[in-house]
Amino acid sequence: MSDASKPLKVGIAGLGTVGAGVVKILQGHAGLLTRRAGRAIEITAVSARDRSRDRGVDLTQYHWCDNPVETASLDDVDLVVELIGGSDGPALTLARETLSKGKSFVTANKALIAVHGKELATLAEKNGATLRFEAAVAGGIPIIKALVEGLAANEVTGLHGILNGTCNYILTRMEREGLSFAEVLADAQRLGYAEADPTFDIDGIDTAHKTAILAAIAFGVAPDMANLPVEGIRTIAPVDIDYAKELGYRIKLLGVARKDSAGVETRVYPAMVPLTAPLAGVMNAVNAVVVHGDYVGETVYEGAGAGEGPTASAVVADIIDIARGNLCPAFGVKVADLQTLPAIPADKHYGTFYVRLSVEDKPGVMAEITAALAKEQVSIKSILQRGKADDGGVYIILTTHRTVEASITAVLERFNALKSVLEAPAMLRIEEV
Ligand SMILES: NC(=O)c1ccc[n+]([C@@H]2O[C@H](COP(=O)([O-])OP(=O)(O)OC[C@H]3O[C@@H](n4cnc5c(N)ncnc54)[C@H](OP(=O)(O)O)[C@@H]3O)[C@@H](O)[C@H]2O)c1
């Protein structure tokens, strides 16, 4: 542990988008940060792969480490900032080394915390170190601080987040320009809004990491990626975006966490949210989180979820917190007090659903559809029939009353078995947030 009367000495491992941004803030706001923290915050060491690369910041006065793990062992490093990425590899080794030595560790790495968060929090506690990861979820939005401190009086019953800017950007452009998922993805990659390998983003894995972290803090449990079913946005069709609008909804990729007497449900899926809901108005690459607390009610947090400035802002906030001596446990409670609650499986999810069927345009089809729903005891809230431009069939668009997901799965199987149903039905959950 560092002496609070002396400068806090920081080693930064990873000098890419976020790392260079952190250096810029620590250099540019040195006086302001010293006043806020009550002591100077000094960079003493840095590390990345390529020493010769120009990173737009002056690094000449800092000790350079070719191996990032070295930063943990330096005498003049009290706190290590890890901005390399990846759930394992150098990031994990560095985290273990740093915390084992009783030094504090700050990261923006959601994969690392979602997968190894409990182990690292345990190491931190055992060695009197502090672990912080505000930038790992929703970039510049201080959602972790809000959950750990601002909402600490509440039992949190649920939260919904738009946590991946790339997905929200793609869905926004699909809606506004009437383009297919593939068309927008290709353009987003050309413009630098999506990675060359976009799998982590569009298949929901990045959102899942963030959801696991938020659920852990909100409910006082360990991050649990094993019980977090994930669906991404590859299958979203423009026609569903249009029908969502007609029904008064907009499609968003959500991280969802709920807690009730049965346990905890954590999911990632594209869902329809009412056009009047705060999350429906969150467009482009913006992130937002809605938290439901028993005393506070609903609170909404919105802002930039990524990028150099917003992400570095969150990293530096963590460094200031540590400089001030805020020793709050990483997940809001000590590791020994993290609860083990039952995971509610996906098929036990209760909610309302949207289903779109492509069917032959002939008498008796509607009767077959309603019979399948009746057999599974799913009741219809609304039903629409719309002509199709291409093959002469029609679309049947229905929404259900509240029901259990297992019944919807069974209904979809029945629909699939009908000769009059021309293609696999589309299904989306409706979240009345
Ligand atoms: N970018 C964002 O908007 C954002 C938002 C929220 C969270 N994050 C998280 O922040 C972290 C950093 O992201 P980033 O966008 O800044 O990544 P980045 O631009 O790719 O930078 C990664 C840095 O790590 C260094 N590095 C990679 N592998 C290394 C290794 N084996 N040994 C030593 N150094 C290594 C790279 O060195 P070289 O520069 O020499 O190649 C580079 O400086 C990730 O965990 C990411 O998930 C990023």
Side-chain angles (χ1 to χ4, degrees), residues 16-19 21-22 25 83 108-110 134-143 162-169 192-195 201 206-207 210 282-289 301-315:
T17 306
V18 186
V22 169
I25 299 178
L83 299 165
N109 188 338
K110 51 252 166 184
E134 180 65 69
V137 183
I141 307 173
I143 184 63
I162 294 174
L163 300 169
N164 184 272
T166 304
C167 288
N168 209 44
Y169 172 85
Y193 277 89
E195 305 278 340
D201 293 321
D206 174 80
T207 301
K210 295 164 177 172
V282 178
M283 306 302 275
N284 294 308
V286 176
N287 280 196
V289 185
Y301 310 82
E302 181 175 348
E308 179 187 307
T311 313
S313 158
V315 171

Side-chain angles (χ1 to χ4, degrees), residues 12-22 47-48 53 55 57 83-84 308:
I12 302 176
L15 297 165
T17 306
V18 186
V22 169
S47 174
R53 203 175 127 194
R55 299 165 193 280
V57 283
L83 299 165
I84 297 170
E308 179 187 307

Side-chain angles (χ1 to χ4, degrees), residues 278-338:
L279 288 180
V282 178
M283 306 302 275
N284 294 308
V286 176
N287 280 196
V289 185
V290 176
V291 182
H292 308 267
D294 57 354
Y295 282 95
V296 72
E298 178 181 291
T299 53
V300 184
Y301 310 82
E302 181 175 348
E308 179 187 307
T311 313
S313 158
V315 171
V316 174
D318 278 345
I319 299 173
I320 296 171
D321 226 25
I322 291 167
R324 284 170 168 159
N326 181 341
L327 302 175
C328 218
F331 291 100
V333 297
K334 290 218 161 113
V335 174
D337 291 326
L338 290 171

